[in-house]
Amino acid sequence: MTRATVLYFASLRDAAGIASEVVDSDAVDLAALYTQLRARHGFKLERDRLRVAVDATFATWQDKLREGSEIAFIPPVSGG
Amino acid sequence: MTRATVLYFASLRDAAGIASEVVDSDAVDLAALYTQLRARHGFKLERDRLRVAVDATFATWQDKLREGSEIAFIPPVSGG
Amino acid sequence: MDAARFQLAATPFDVATLRAGLLDPGVGAYASFEGWVRQHNDGRPVRGLRYEAYAALAATEGERILQQALQEFDILDARCTHRTGDLVVGELAVWVGVTAAHRAPAFAACRFVIDEVKARVPIWKHERYRGGQTTWLP
Amino acid sequence: MDAARFQLAATPFDVATLRAGLLDPGVGAYASFEGWVRQHNDGRPVRGLRYEAYAALAATEGERILQQALQEFDILDARCTHRTGDLVVGELAVWVGVTAAHRAPAFAACRFVIDEVKARVPIWKHERYRGGQTTWLP
């Protein structure tokens, strides 16, 4: 099991009801982690509409979970 | 003869040494008037590099001189 | 080190001050863009909105966009400040300022920066409508 | 009648005031352009310059350009103020401000206005160089 912090923003945060949580997961990569958390929180957003970041840097879905890392799922942005 | 006021700007004013003058001219049109005044003041600018205005409205070189009108020869502009 | 070129502002910020930071005797052209909160969006009457950011990532991604602009266009400087928090109709949401010797690259880089900020920087808009409904955009 | 959209200013003018004149709850995008006096032009060190205008014609031609912008682009307003008289390096020479619901027409109209002003409005620039020479441009 790998322990990581997950941050939620915008509609993901509303759906999860929390801004962040610490998870212990056996997900092989970030894609699998999103699948697990999507099932847990009932996220409506498909993975291909999101980007993913690790420790405040954009990452790829195939990246492995790193112990102690901070993971964020990035919904479509709407700044400006 | 037609009497009109002529305004000079920028390099034309420097060459004429005056900002305006009242002229009595028999020029058939504004093109002919410029030819006369160019000869008098030694303007270097060819007519096709200028525009002409009458009473603060752009005019054409074929327009006749109108008594009492205010004529300006417009050198290439360089605002902005 | 200078202040970061990309900034998040949790409170109203002053454009005149940001513009003054770009003054330089080599500048001939200053192009700027501002986004203001409109009273309507897609036909719905907007009462106000909230911008939420993933601040750490927004800072690095915003900075990356401005560095890209400096590399790809013949400009002297490029900066951007984006509001977070609650805004009402008419408030300033985002400012982009670009300086250059000449106007063509200033305009092009200014457009590039706002387009990229809207597309890439992790900031989300939550609109409040008359009647009480709210929604995350897009 | 409102103040004219195109103005000549014989003394330094304040951009913040002009921008404030464009505030409107329908505005989502504000694009602006400013020309500042550069210390070099075509490689020559500039000490300052003087703008001279044929004021009556500049006013009507400037107004015509702004009306054209309002007709040709999906914008809410467009204004321009141009300095006359003596300016030093760093001073503001011209300002264009355009408001719209969306950014694409705001940028396009702002670019249109400054291009047309430079091409059509009877204003002439007289540059003074270090060393004392002067010249009319272009």
Side-chain angles (χ1 to χ4, degrees):
Chain A
M1 300 291 269
T2 303
R3 171 166 292 198
T5 301
V6 181
L7 309 180
Y8 299 116
F9 295 98
S11 62
L12 294 183
R13 195 197 45 227
D14 285 359
I18 48 175
S20 71
E21 63 182 331
V22 175
V23 299
D24 291 299
S25 171
D26 59 358
V28 295
D29 59 14
L30 298 172
L33 179 65
Y34 182 69
T35 302
Q36 290 176 354
L37 295 171
R38 189 182 180 195
R40 182 189 302 177
H41 294 299
F43 297 145
K44 294 211 180 83
L45 281 166
E46 302 278 348
R47 181 165 58 80
D48 63 7
R49 300 209 52 213
L50 304 177
R51 284 178 299 168
V52 62
V54 176
D55 294 338
T57 301
F58 282 115
T60 71
W61 291 107
Q62 288 69 48
D63 290 350
K64 304 294 169 220
L65 259 67
R66 280 207 324 273
E67 184 71 24
S69 60
E70 184 180 82
I71 296 158
F73 301 114
I74 311 289
V77 303
S78 51
Chain B
M1 300 290 270
T2 304
R3 171 165 292 197
T5 302
V6 181
L7 308 180
Y8 298 117
F9 294 100
S11 62
L12 294 183
R13 195 196 46 225
D14 285 358
I18 48 175
S20 71
E21 64 182 330
V22 175
V23 299
D24 292 300
S25 170
D26 59 358
V28 295
D29 59 15
L30 298 172
L33 178 66
Y34 182 70
T35 301
Q36 291 177 353
L37 295 171
R38 188 181 181 195
R40 181 190 302 176
H41 294 299
F43 297 145
K44 294 210 179 83
L45 281 167
E46 302 279 348
R47 182 165 58 80
D48 64 8
R49 299 210 51 213
L50 305 176
R51 285 178 297 168
V52 62
V54 175
D55 294 337
T57 301
F58 283 115
T60 71
W61 291 108
Q62 289 68 48
D63 290 349
K64 305 292 169 219
L65 258 66
R66 280 208 322 273
E67 183 72 24
S69 61
E70 184 180 84
I71 295 158
F73 300 114
I74 311 291
V77 303
S78 51
Chain C
M1 192 186 116
D2 284 16
R5 290 194 160 85
F6 182 88
Q7 305 259 12
L8 293 175
T11 53
F13 60 95
D14 181 44
V15 168
T17 305
L18 294 167
R19 170 184 177 280
L22 290 168
L23 290 170
D24 179 284
V27 173
Y30 165 78
S32 84
F33 175 82
E34 298 178 23
W36 299 351
V37 179
R38 294 169 66 211
Q39 68 186 351
H40 284 87
N41 195 5
D42 276 330
R44 300 181 74 176
V46 173
R47 190 138 52 105
L49 55 77
R50 188 172 85 244
Y51 281 112
E52 177 180 311
Y54 178 13
L57 183 57
T60 56
E61 191 68 2
E63 208 65 28
R64 203 188 309 270
I65 290 167
L66 295 172
Q67 290 298 337
Q68 250 183 288
L70 285 165
Q71 279 162 25
E72 293 179 19
F73 300 92
D74 186 14
I75 60 177
L76 292 164
D77 211 340
R79 310 231 178 131
C80 177
T81 299
H82 201 298
R83 265 299 300 281
T84 58
D86 291 308
L87 286 77
V88 296
V89 170
E91 266 199 275
L92 174 61
V94 60
W95 166 85
V96 178
V98 174
T99 51
H102 301 291
R103 69 189 183 286
F107 273 109
C110 189
R111 180 69 197 263
F112 169 83
V113 170
I114 188 63
D115 286 355
E116 294 296 305
V117 165
K118 280 172 173 272
R120 291 163 49 184
V121 175
I123 298 174
W124 298 274
K125 181 170 17 186
H126 188 250
E127 285 190 341
R128 301 187 300 278
Y129 305 101
R130 291 197 194 289
Q133 313 92 313
T134 67
T135 194
W136 287 103
L137 280 86
Chain D
M1 192 185 116
D2 284 17
R5 290 194 160 85
F6 182 87
Q7 305 259 11
L8 294 175
T11 53
F13 60 95
D14 181 45
V15 168
T17 305
L18 294 167
R19 170 185 176 280
L22 290 167
L23 290 170
D24 179 284
V27 173
Y30 165 78
S32 84
F33 176 82
E34 298 178 23
W36 299 351
V37 179
R38 292 171 67 212
Q39 68 185 350
H40 284 87
N41 195 3
D42 276 331
R44 300 181 73 176
V46 173
R47 190 138 51 104
L49 54 77
R50 188 173 83 244
Y51 281 111
E52 177 180 310
Y54 179 12
L57 184 56
T60 56
E61 191 68 1
E63 207 66 28
R64 203 188 309 270
I65 290 166
L66 295 173
Q67 290 298 337
Q68 250 183 288
L70 285 166
Q71 279 162 26
E72 293 179 19
F73 300 93
D74 186 13
I75 60 177
L76 292 165
D77 211 341
R79 310 231 179 132
C80 177
T81 299
H82 201 299
R83 265 299 299 281
T84 58
D86 292 308
L87 285 77
V88 297
V89 170
E91 265 198 276
L92 174 62
V94 60
W95 167 83
V96 178
V98 175
T99 50
H102 302 290
R103 70 190 184 284
F107 272 109
C110 189
R111 180 69 196 264
F112 168 83
V113 170
I114 188 63
D115 287 355
E116 294 296 304
V117 165
K118 280 172 173 273
R120 291 163 48 184
V121 175
I123 298 175
W124 299 273
K125 180 167 23 184
H126 188 250
E127 285 190 341
R128 301 186 301 277
Y129 305 101
R130 292 197 194 289
Q133 312 93 314
T134 66
T135 192
W136 286 104
L137 282 85

